[in-house]
Amino acid sequence: MQLTRRAVTGAMIALAGALSWSGPALAQQEVKIGYALAAAPDSHYGVAATKWQEVVEAETDGRYTFRHFPSSGLGGEREVIEGVQLGTVEATIVSSGTLSNFVPEAGVFDIPFLFRDLSHARTVLDGPIGQDILKRFDDAGMVALAWGEQGFRHITNNRNAIETPKDVAGLKLRTMENPTHILAFEALGAAPTPMAWPEVISALQQGTIDGQENPLSVITSAKLSEVQDYLTLSGHVYSPAMLIVSKQLWEGMSPEDQEVFRKGASEAVAAMRDFVDNVETSGVEQLKGDGMEIGTLSAEQKAAFQKSLAGAYEQYYETYGKDLIDQIIATE
Ligand code: PAF
């Protein structure tokens, strides 16, 4: 019998759940936490998960033990989030790839050219708009503790350098399974190909897609320079991440332990943001050294991409509300 990848992943998630223990009165027991992470241990996610673990371990007398499943060890992010809902995965740090499929309002942060810079994005996510969206994850059966980040997304591909929207015409570009991103690349005339992350490297190697888009934190840690020739520093969209725990885990904790987990999440976010700040400069040098051909979109070139997105923006206004989008843009 041949098992599908989804069935194998489902079985792995079930096994991780079976290995873990959660339930009432967790404060008295040793609790095993499985962390599912799409990126490598030395990535922004790895650094954040390690910091989170350190804070919890230091403040709970070893009552919680952690096991990391990096590099998509428990499958794609959609499967991991479903595992968190079921309680078979205790904790994760995920991108906004499939988040809006669980809480549609979260997709507003995936709108291209919404944020001016990292500081603007961090202010909005840490402020009332971002915190309100975090709370809505409660209705989706999970506890969203904080917004982290990956940085701004850039395009890599094997077909050509990109300077104008014409250069992405027909480009088979892997996107996340994210309707807001897909709409943008359709508007630009590319051929967006939504795909779960664990499939991406082999699809690039086999040439079934020409390129993909991700922040430098991912492009460097996933060694995309080994399978991609061109990098365009397009910064076309900010890429938030979210620190989530399962309700089963959360509701079994004492209020004191919940506070420690919140503190750990907040220190993890600080570590992740430091990582992103560093990789924004060191990453470009590293990828140049790896032989990638790198170009940066100028302000005028970015404006041309923004112009091509005018139709998509009309739909974003309809979906998320023009007032909210304007409020985010106006945040200082
Ligand atoms: O492109 C994605 O799917 C995400 O950015 C990734 C690489 C899984 C990190 O969360």
Side-chain angles (χ1 to χ4, degrees):
M1 184 181 67
Q2 242 203 327
L3 287 174
T4 61
R5 182 184 171 86
R6 203 176 171 86
V8 170
T9 306
M12 286 170 70
I13 290 176
L15 177 65
L19 291 173
S20 69
W21 190 94
S22 57
L26 295 186
Q28 308 307 313
Q29 313 275 339
E30 186 196 313
V31 182
K32 295 192 174 99
I33 311 271
Y35 265 131
L37 305 167
D42 63 352
S43 69
H44 52 314
Y45 286 178
V47 163
T50 302
K51 174 54 80 179
W52 199 357
Q53 167 176 351
E54 281 168 7
V55 172
V56 174
E57 278 177 348
E59 302 202 15
T60 56
D61 304 320
R63 277 179 286 109
Y64 294 87
T65 56
F66 293 82
R67 180 161 174 207
H68 295 203
F69 295 88
S71 306
S72 305
L74 292 182
E77 291 189 327
R78 179 192 288 271
E79 288 153 318
V80 164
I81 296 171
E82 285 166 358
V84 171
Q85 283 180 315
L86 290 170
T88 55
V89 174
E90 287 81 16
T92 187
I93 303 175
V94 283
S95 72
S96 61
T98 64
L99 284 181
S100 58
N101 297 301
F102 296 87
V103 174
E105 297 88 335
V108 71
F109 301 132
D110 295 315
I111 294 177
F113 300 111
L114 180 73
F115 295 111
R116 293 181 296 279
D117 51 31
L118 290 171
S119 153
H120 178 201
R122 292 169 186 177
T123 305
V124 172
L125 293 172
D126 293 346
I129 298 174
Q131 298 306 301
D132 175 57
I133 290 182
L134 278 187
K135 288 194 196 106
R136 295 183 195 211
F137 279 78
D138 194 58
D139 290 339
M142 49 196 132
V143 182
L145 290 180
W147 286 104
E149 73 182 8
Q150 307 207 79
F152 278 90
R153 299 179 83 88
H154 307 293
I155 302 172
T156 66
N157 83 100
N158 282 333
R159 197 184 74 176
N160 51 263
I162 295 168
E163 292 181 352
T164 71
K166 278 197 190 120
D167 298 324
V168 298
L171 190 73
K172 278 183 271 157
L173 190 77
R174 178 270 174 174
T175 66
M176 301 198 288
E177 299 161 280
N178 179 310
T180 307
H181 287 189
I182 294 167
L183 174 62
F185 283 106
E186 280 169 353
L188 291 171
T193 310
M195 190 182 280
W197 177 247
E199 322 291 337
V200 173
I201 305 283
S202 61
L204 288 170
Q205 278 166 334
Q206 287 159 16
T208 49
I209 49 174
D210 300 312
Q212 65 83 53
E213 45 84 65
N214 249 303
L216 288 164
S217 54
V218 175
I219 297 171
T220 52
S221 62
K223 302 189 182 0
L224 286 176
S225 56
E226 291 176 4
V227 288
Q228 294 276 263
D229 297 332
Y230 299 98
L231 165 62
T232 307
L233 297 169
S234 47
H236 53 278
V237 67
Y238 176 72
S239 197
M242 194 178 271
L243 284 72
I244 307 176
V245 298
S246 76
K247 273 203 174 178
Q248 282 88 335
L249 175 70
W250 192 252
E251 288 170 0
M253 280 183 204
S254 65
E256 293 75 22
D257 284 2
Q258 287 180 348
E259 216 27 65
V260 174
F261 267 75
R262 278 194 189 286
K263 182 177 172 209
S266 142
E267 292 196 23
V269 168
M272 200 178 334
R273 288 176 177 174
D274 277 353
F275 187 103
V276 168
D277 285 337
N278 288 333
V279 83
E280 288 292 312
T281 43
S282 64
V284 176
E285 286 313 307
Q286 182 185 326
L287 296 167
K288 238 183 233 165
D290 291 347
M292 286 190 102
E293 189 179 315
I294 304 181
T296 306
L297 291 188
S298 65
E300 294 73 36
Q301 287 169 331
K302 277 192 186 178
F305 278 84
Q306 275 175 283
K307 203 168 159 208
S308 303
L309 288 170
Y313 256 77
E314 288 308 317
Q315 287 200 43
Y316 297 144
Y317 291 148
E318 226 167 86
T319 307
Y320 301 111
K322 188 168 184 315
D323 283 353
L324 176 62
I325 294 173
D326 286 345
Q327 205 184 326
I328 292 173
I329 292 172
T331 301
E332 289 299 331

